[in-house]
Amino acid sequence: MQIPVRIVLVETTHPGNIGAAARAMKTMGLYDLALVRPRCAFPSDEATARATGATDILENARVYDSLPEAIADCGFVVGTSARERAVEWPTLPPRDCAAQVLDALDAGNRAAIVFGPEKYGLTNEALARCAVHVRIPTNPEFSSLNLAMAVQLLCYELRLAALDRARADERGETSGTEPQPSRVRPRLATVAELDHFYDHLDRVLVESGFLRADHQRQLRLKLRRIFQRAALDKNEVDILRGVLTSLEPSRYRVERSES
Ligand code: SAH
């Protein structure tokens, strides 16, 4: 059983963790590894040694300059964090997260799970690009897992959920005349489509004076959170972009002078 979920490692500092993550993925049937600005040599002998037999995953891994590029084509992105953040986000336990990822795949979306650097984890900006966050329940006084172990646990949950669904399908439990709600939902907007929308929103809100060009990081994150929660599809993003275009001052002026 292959599970087409991309595992994205952001600014990993230890090559051994990249190798161990590849091994963790392969044992669970995942194969799509993306690295964002690794802070260590890659490819490296240490990564290869720690991957043991999973060298094919390392050889096929793609390296990106930024997180948005690594997940541009994804409609459902999960961010991982060991701790609570300043701007709270919908946060799921691993089992619910796995179910939502599989629902997203069933609805025709590409999906990714994003992991942060060993020392600090993901930035709030990186986490704001994710629809939901997942936290592996750990000892609150010692909450941070080794990166590759976090990859292992979340890949394991995906495999358990996928095996459950395969068994249910075999028993015919999901093949009634009623389609599952998740299977009739249109495809979600991709990260690239949402990013164009956020840029557009930012431009219009700076022009209107609601947002200042710099600062106001938290306000921007909260605006994103509203739209992330809405799980917009492509058509809804097009409608919102049309709304923004209609509010752009330059266009407003043209229409006023025409009337
Ligand atoms: N101090 C960082 C921990 C970094 S550990 C923090 O608080 O986020 C490196 C990465 O492993 C994290 O970015 C995350 O991707 C993953 N990770 C570690 N512990 C985790 C946990 N309890 N739940 C979810 N992901 C975890």
Side-chain angles (χ1 to χ4, degrees), residues 200 204 239-249 251-252 255:
H200 196 170
V204 171
I239 293 170
L240 287 172
R241 293 208 56 188
V243 170
L244 290 174
T245 302
S246 78
L247 294 172
E248 274 169 6
R251 183 188 160 105
Y252 182 66
E255 283 180 358

Side-chain angles (χ1 to χ4, degrees), residues 228-241:
Q228 291 283 16
R229 256 201 323 257
L232 300 168
D233 64 40
K234 168 79 170 77
N235 179 247
E236 289 167 335
V237 168
D238 287 344
I239 293 170
L240 287 172
R241 293 208 56 188

Side-chain angles (χ1 to χ4, degrees), residues 8-10 17 79-85 94 114-122 127 134-138 142-151 154:
V8 183
L9 305 184
V10 178
N17 278 335
T80 56
S81 180
R83 58 194 157 96
E84 295 199 9
R85 304 303 181 113
V114 185
F115 295 82
E118 291 87 339
K119 213 167 189 164
Y120 304 108
L122 292 168
L127 285 166
V134 61
R135 188 175 317 119
I136 300 164
T138 45
F142 196 67
S143 64
S144 171
L145 285 152
N146 163 265
L147 170 61
M149 296 201 182
V151 173
L154 292 181

